[in-house]
Amino acid sequence: MTQALPKTKLVTFEEFVAWYPENSERRYELYDGVIVEMALPKGKHERVVGFLASQTTSEFLRLKLPYFIPKTVIIKPPLHESGYSPDVLILNNDNLVNEPVWEDESFITQTASISLAIEVVSQCVARVPRVEATD
């Protein structure tokens, strides 16, 4: 379950970077200016993430590409005051010199640094009324 934190005003991505608690046991993302606390993933979700990370890693190693998969990074999509932490993120190591806060913070702002971002969508557990067909 995600939970929006109380808001008094919309937050910019730069304010979110400055606010983000160091060594937090909680995860946060920014959705169009609103800071949201993220639920921790479940086992099945993590199994899929691990599989995708291992398969993509073996491929970029085979191709000798300058990529790596960081543990926890927040990326900023262009044109939005948002910041997301994808389940699997492949970064282009060669472009990180152009990232303004990379050396001090795990935030990525340039699309050239992102080779692939994967978000694993979990099955919805909402109950939907079942409708039986009648003749």
Side-chain angles (χ1 to χ4, degrees), residues 99-114:
E99 288 292 342
V101 297
W102 175 252
E103 289 301 317
D104 298 318
E105 305 284 346
S106 292
F107 292 89
I108 296 295
T109 60
Q110 298 182 10
T111 56
S113 297
I114 302 167

Side-chain angles (χ1 to χ4, degrees), residues 41-99:
K42 306 276 190 234
K44 186 176 184 180
H45 180 270
E46 289 296 280
R47 182 178 297 130
V48 172
V49 168
F51 172 78
L52 293 171
S54 67
Q55 296 301 302
T56 54
T57 299
S58 65
E59 188 62 12
F60 68 69
L61 289 174
R62 183 184 72 78
L63 295 171
K64 296 181 171 62
L65 297 171
Y67 298 163
F68 74 100
I69 297 178
K71 183 175 184 242
T72 308
V73 173
I74 295 186
I75 61 173
K76 181 186 185 312
L79 309 176
H80 292 279
E81 288 303 321
S82 299
Y84 307 102
S85 182
D87 290 313
V88 180
L89 178 64
I90 299 177
L91 292 180
N92 183 337
N93 196 49
D94 292 346
N95 196 66
L96 295 181
V97 297
N98 300 315
E99 288 292 342

Side-chain angles (χ1 to χ4, degrees), residues 29-50:
E29 291 185 350
L30 182 66
Y31 291 91
D32 292 322
V34 178
I35 298 173
V36 177
E37 182 179 342
M38 303 305 293
L40 294 175
K42 306 276 190 234
K44 186 176 184 180
H45 180 270
E46 289 296 280
R47 182 178 297 130
V48 172
V49 168

